[in-house]
Amino acid sequence: MPNCKTAVPYKGTPAQEERLRKVIEEHKGQPGATMPVLQAAQEIFGYLPEEVQIMVAEGLDIPLSEVYGVATFYSFFSLNPKGKYQISVCLGTACYVKGSADVLSAVEQKLSITPGGITSDGLFSLDACRCIGACGLAPVMMINDDVYGRLTPAQVGPILDKYIKMG
Amino acid sequence: MNHVRCHVMVCAGTGCTSSESPKVLAAFEKEIKAHKLQDEVRIVKTGCFGLCSQGPIVMIFPEGACYSKVTELDVPEIVSEHIVKGRIVTRLLHMEGDEGKSATSLSDTQFYKHQLRIALRNCGVINPESIDEYLGADGYTALERILTEQTPPQEIIDCLKKSGLRGRGGAGFSTGLKWQFTHDAVSEDGVKYVCCNADEGDPGAFMDRSVLEGDPFSVIEAMTIAGYTIGSNQGYIYIRAEYPIAVKRLEIAIGQARKYGLLGKNILGSDFSFDIELRLGAGAFVCGEETALMTSIEGHRGEPRPRPPFPANKGLFGKPTLLNNVETYANITWILNNGWEKFAAIGTEKSKGTKVFALGGKITNTGLVEIPMGTTLRTIVEDIGGGCPNGKKFKAAQTGGPSGGCIPAELIDTPIDYDSLTAIGSMMGSGGLIVMDEDNCMVDIAKFFLEFCVDESCGKCAPCRIGTKRLYDLLCKITDGKGTLEDLDTIEELCYHLKSSALCALGQSAPNPVLSTLRYFRDEYVAHVVEKRCPAGVCRNLLRYEIDPGKCKGCTLCAKNCPVGAITGAVKAPHIIDQNKCIKCGLCQSNCRFDAITKR
């Protein structure tokens, strides 16, 4: 299960925690506040470790179980930290029929990780996503905000090497 | 005000942005300034033109010249030749696939000739980040008329009913009736809600995103009219967080509308108040289902609830709620401005108006098309889409995403409307249309959609949670070459059980891709089971890569690239693949320069 509790220790700074407290204050008491607060929390910390979930639950005065329930239901929320370079290979239908499964396995082989995982040096994390909407460029892979379109499995190695070099 | 003699429209939709249209835009701004033309040439950042595979797209008016695949390096030439000297740069004009003819205006092209743009009427025409441009394109005339004349809500509802507009989100329920039910519903404290479903989760579909990126005000105006009609003061737009550009444009649009007094308290000086809040989805396909969407806005796990009660009576926060999807809203002001008669004149007997499709997969012109209901699949695939690339044979089209089915090549003359699609085992769905050619394995496609449903099943009801997984396991057994003919019967039986017992539309429609491929491509299933062969050469465990000793030059490139060391052979002598070691990754084949490796 890729979205289980992370082994990486919590490294939140007081400044980040202060930002989160402000967001919680703004949303407190509003109906349906859990999701906007968790989305903001993920933006602040990059992921949702247990410590952050506890802060949200206590701040909004709702059970931790409910926060955990919401955080694990939606694929956008991650309980694990992401790599410096976040790779997402699109497995939407348009990309899939154009061979994105082969692109994904080329990335998996090159980095020895599977979707949901992160390399041991923290450089790359890999996700399979469903449609980023660039169907005209299928098959598509995104590394952070860079879009690579019309990919073949053979192009994957050189592209990743570029990022490895940058470190 | 200066006279603007020329408009440069640069597409800023997601497709073109991914092909680096922001750089093209910046280059135009720089060049126009360098030629000191900024007073007579206006650069407009527009929404999607639809020709996403040819992006970035630039259109220049008054000529209406359509340039495709423009890079920042082309910009100086376009400016100095076309804009300064008035000579169109033919080298960069969008070319038609087969005839090699270049079109100087968009409406001449095969791609646009068959289209009729109602929902997309402003996409690519106005700057989506400017309310003034929307106002200039007859925006807000409908709302203004309704508020100043105090049109009775029943009149608006009757107009929608007579237009024959049906929900564009998939199920195709009459929009007028939906408005009627919510209008008639009694709320104890008077609170009702208007919601917009922009959680376009169908992989391979991007109609709603393009409407929101290209014309966000049309949706906001329609929601405001809906608020007036059913008696609501609060709207919610539930949009996927995966659509950052659409979210940003909506935020800008809502802000501008508030500033102009078109959202907020006492709109246009009337006693009607209405405001809209954005809620971001977080990547759950099931939240496109109406009750799940509302549970999600309420801040919980997006699990559906049984109906009745329907949202019209008991929806968001337990109040009567009107929920339509983006494309439905985009049609509303057009109908109110042009009259229901004009809308009802388009389309077939039971499906009126137009439908937007996101054309993708193995097709030359990938992109966004809007066609009158009743247009045949052949027109869409062959004329508008330009057929399958590389001379491959069209095999099937898939509509409706994970809830829809495959339409085989022999049914290519089927008219596209709600009822014809349901009759052949597919469905309209939200508008994804994926084309597949002879290289696509239909069992694999069915497995792909089922895997999606297994992932996205919320887990609330057992038929969907367990049934989709069992179906997926059975399909894996077949693609692994371990299936039996009895499995095919079990699959069919399980499909019918799932259809009849799942709680929401996700589970009820999850078997559709399996049932429709079994119906039209049973021979492919049988080939996997009996001959242990994948006719399209996709299913890995049934494949064999072999080296043709006649063609192999012994260059060793394949052996070097093989990740598991399965290829051996001396330099300049034919190589051999050890089938026991081979993991069928295909790297050897894609690296071979002599076409010596075959896949069977």
Side-chain angles (χ1 to χ4, degrees):
Chain A
M1 202 181 139
N3 216 9
C4 52
K5 195 182 168 228
T6 175
V8 182
Y10 170 67
K11 280 190 230 142
T13 63
Q16 286 175 319
E17 289 175 9
E18 186 50 43
R19 273 177 69 197
L20 178 62
R21 260 194 292 276
K22 251 192 200 143
V23 173
I24 292 174
E25 214 46 57
E26 278 166 29
H27 286 82
K28 200 168 176 175
Q30 285 177 13
T34 322
M35 294 232 334
V37 170
L38 283 178
Q39 275 158 347
Q42 173 145 312
E43 214 178 289
I44 295 168
F45 293 93
Y47 69 116
L48 298 174
E50 196 180 334
E51 290 77 2
V52 170
Q53 292 176 47
I54 293 173
M55 282 170 65
V56 172
E58 287 176 351
L60 293 175
D61 201 19
I62 50 175
L64 177 60
S65 61
E66 204 177 308
V67 174
Y68 180 76
V70 172
T72 49
F73 185 83
Y74 298 96
S75 61
F76 182 80
F77 296 126
S78 168
L79 304 196
N80 292 312
K82 294 285 174 195
K84 182 177 176 195
Y85 301 113
Q86 298 178 24
I87 307 174
S88 23
V89 178
C90 180
L91 287 188
T93 318
C95 285
Y96 187 78
V97 301
K98 284 197 159 177
S100 65
D102 295 333
V103 172
L104 179 64
S105 47
V107 179
E108 288 176 355
Q109 273 170 26
K110 171 93 184 168
L111 300 175
S112 310
I113 48 173
T114 49
I118 175 166
T119 52
S120 51
D121 57 3
L123 201 56
F124 293 103
S125 57
L126 175 62
D127 286 294
C129 66
R130 307 280 187 193
C131 201
I132 58 164
C135 307
L137 306 174
V140 174
M141 166 171 87
M142 275 182 84
I143 301 182
N144 292 349
D145 289 334
D146 298 334
V147 179
Y148 296 90
R150 301 188 182 96
L151 280 175
T152 62
Q155 289 171 320
V156 168
I159 291 174
L160 293 179
D161 285 337
K162 206 171 76 187
Y163 288 89
I164 294 171
K165 229 183 228 167
M166 288 195 293
Chain B
M1 197 178 134
N2 289 308
H3 175 66
V4 177
R5 68 166 173 93
C6 172
H7 281 84
V8 179
M9 326 284 273
V10 182
C11 177
T14 293
C16 285
T17 300
S18 303
S19 324
E20 308 202 315
S21 74
K23 281 188 185 165
V24 174
L25 187 79
F28 266 108
E29 277 164 1
K30 199 176 128 218
E31 280 299 311
I32 297 289
K33 255 202 192 124
H35 283 83
K36 296 199 171 42
L37 291 170
Q38 58 267 42
D39 289 336
E40 43 188 298
V41 176
R42 182 170 297 159
I43 303 167
V44 185
K45 199 165 97 178
T46 70
C48 185
F49 290 102
L51 263 169
C52 305
S53 61
Q54 300 295 318
I57 300 281
V58 174
M59 295 244 315
I60 298 186
F61 288 98
E63 293 88 348
C66 170
Y67 294 117
S68 60
K69 291 191 178 164
V70 178
T71 69
E72 50 184 328
L73 301 175
D74 297 324
V75 173
E77 184 182 346
I78 296 179
V79 172
S80 63
E81 280 296 303
H82 185 153
I83 296 177
V84 176
K85 297 177 192 154
R87 291 196 288 248
I88 288 173
V89 185
T90 33
R91 169 179 78 84
L92 293 166
L93 283 179
H94 169 60
M95 304 287 271
E96 290 282 11
D98 20 276
E99 296 121 55
K101 265 198 321 225
S102 53
T104 39
S105 103
L106 259 195
S107 47
D108 289 350
T109 62
Q110 282 286 340
F111 185 73
Y112 281 98
K113 211 162 70 184
H114 301 275
Q115 294 196 47
L116 178 65
R117 296 185 130 206
I118 292 179
L120 299 174
R121 62 192 177 278
N122 286 331
C123 289
V125 179
I126 63 166
N127 178 348
E129 294 179 8
S130 155
I131 194 168
D132 292 321
E133 295 212 3
Y134 180 69
L135 289 169
D138 284 341
Y140 280 109
T141 47
L143 180 69
E144 193 192 344
R145 195 175 54 244
I146 288 168
L147 287 182
T148 46
E149 293 173 9
Q150 289 293 307
T151 313
Q154 192 57 45
E155 215 170 275
I156 302 171
I157 295 172
D158 287 340
C159 173
L160 289 183
K161 274 190 196 161
K162 282 188 268 186
S163 75
L165 176 65
R166 294 168 69 173
R168 299 297 193 237
F173 190 76
S174 157
T175 306
L177 276 180
K178 218 177 202 179
W179 287 40
Q180 181 79 65
F181 292 151
T182 330
H183 170 265
D184 295 348
V186 181
S187 167
E188 278 162 25
D189 53 2
V191 176
K192 291 184 185 180
Y193 293 106
V194 174
C195 288
C196 172
N197 185 348
D199 190 52
E200 192 173 43
D202 170 2
F206 51 95
M207 301 75 49
D208 295 345
R209 194 202 69 212
S210 295
V211 170
L212 291 172
E213 283 178 3
D215 191 16
F217 293 103
S218 70
V219 175
I220 294 173
E221 184 186 354
M223 285 180 73
T224 314
I225 293 170
Y228 169 84
T229 310
I230 65 154
S232 157
N233 303 114
Q234 181 63 47
Y236 286 97
I237 300 179
Y238 187 86
I239 179 168
R240 299 180 77 197
E242 289 93 331
Y243 287 172
I245 300 180
V247 172
K248 197 181 124 225
R249 299 232 165 108
L250 271 176
E251 283 169 351
I252 294 174
I254 291 174
Q256 291 186 350
R258 281 186 189 141
K259 217 171 106 197
Y260 276 56
L262 293 163
L263 272 183
K265 286 216 167 10
N266 302 98
I267 293 173
L268 293 170
S270 70
D271 54 8
F272 170 62
S273 303
F274 187 77
D275 211 337
I276 293 176
E277 211 176 290
L278 280 188
R279 280 298 162 93
L280 299 195
F285 177 66
V286 70
C287 289
E289 200 277 339
E290 55 179 11
T291 59
L293 184 146
M294 292 174 193
T295 323
S296 181
I297 294 181
E298 289 165 7
H300 308 292
R301 294 166 69 92
E303 288 174 354
R305 42 190 187 225
R307 295 175 304 181
F310 285 92
N313 295 310
K314 217 171 168 217
L316 189 60
F317 301 115
K319 307 292 175 198
T321 304
L322 174 74
L323 177 75
N324 286 131
N325 103 317
V326 172
E327 194 188 330
T328 314
Y329 280 124
N331 277 295
I332 303 248
T333 51
W334 191 92
I335 295 171
L336 295 176
N337 283 332
N338 293 280
W340 61 268
E341 296 90 344
K342 222 169 155 187
F343 190 82
I346 308 163
T348 60
E349 192 198 337
K350 286 187 177 153
S351 304
K352 299 297 185 192
T354 59
K355 178 78 194 85
V356 184
F357 284 98
L359 208 50
K362 303 280 186 67
I363 187 135
T364 311
N365 298 327
T366 323
L368 207 62
V369 301
E370 181 168 354
I371 45 144
M373 293 275 188
T375 306
T376 62
L377 184 61
R378 186 187 295 279
T379 309
I380 302 178
V381 171
E382 292 181 358
D383 298 336
I384 301 176
C388 299
N390 308 324
K392 296 277 183 183
K393 197 171 147 229
F394 169 76
K395 185 173 186 177
Q398 210 276 351
T399 63
S403 315
C406 291
I407 307 167
E410 60 262 29
L411 292 176
I412 194 169
D413 287 311
T414 308
I416 302 290
D417 61 46
Y418 289 100
D419 309 294
S420 314
L421 284 178
T422 310
I424 57 172
S426 183
M427 68 183 277
M428 181 74 87
S430 58
L433 202 159
I434 308 287
V435 176
M436 284 165 270
D437 68 10
E438 52 193 306
D439 289 343
N440 288 116
C441 167
M442 302 316 280
V443 188
D444 182 63
I445 291 295
K447 197 176 89 174
F448 165 78
F449 281 117
L450 218 53
E451 189 189 2
F452 181 86
C453 291
V454 172
D455 274 359
E456 296 294 341
S457 171
C458 76
K460 185 171 180 175
C461 76
C464 176
R465 182 179 69 239
I466 304 169
T468 52
K469 179 78 175 94
R470 296 302 299 144
L471 260 182
Y472 176 70
D473 290 344
L474 281 166
L475 286 176
C476 284
K477 204 175 151 195
I478 290 174
T479 55
D480 283 349
K482 293 172 189 149
T484 62
L485 284 174
E486 288 80 66
D487 287 335
L488 295 185
D489 299 331
T490 315
I491 287 175
E492 228 163 328
E493 200 191 331
L494 191 49
C495 283
Y496 288 116
H497 285 311
L498 190 48
K499 265 176 110 67
S500 57
S501 59
L503 172 64
C504 81
L506 192 154
Q508 287 158 13
S509 60
N512 284 352
V514 183
L515 283 175
S516 75
T517 47
L518 256 179
R519 179 167 162 193
Y520 297 116
F521 300 96
R522 199 179 182 93
D523 53 329
E524 273 192 47
Y525 280 85
V526 172
H528 284 74
V529 170
V530 178
E531 299 164 41
K532 309 291 175 207
R533 183 176 69 86
C534 175
V538 173
C539 298
R540 276 192 190 171
N541 289 328
L542 302 176
L543 283 184
R544 267 176 85 89
Y545 283 93
E546 279 173 3
I547 298 175
D548 180 347
K551 284 185 180 168
C552 179
K553 303 272 188 265
C555 73
T556 75
L557 199 59
C558 56
K560 274 187 204 143
N561 277 293
C562 179
V564 290
I567 305 179
T568 48
V571 181
K572 291 190 180 167
H575 282 46
I576 307 170
I577 301 176
D578 181 345
Q579 296 298 338
N580 291 325
K581 280 189 186 167
C582 175
I583 54 164
K584 285 118 181 173
C585 68
L587 270 179
C588 52
Q589 195 189 31
S590 60
N591 278 302
C592 180
R593 293 180 193 161
F594 306 102
D595 202 17
I597 298 174
T598 53
K599 184 167 80 168
R600 276 200 305 136

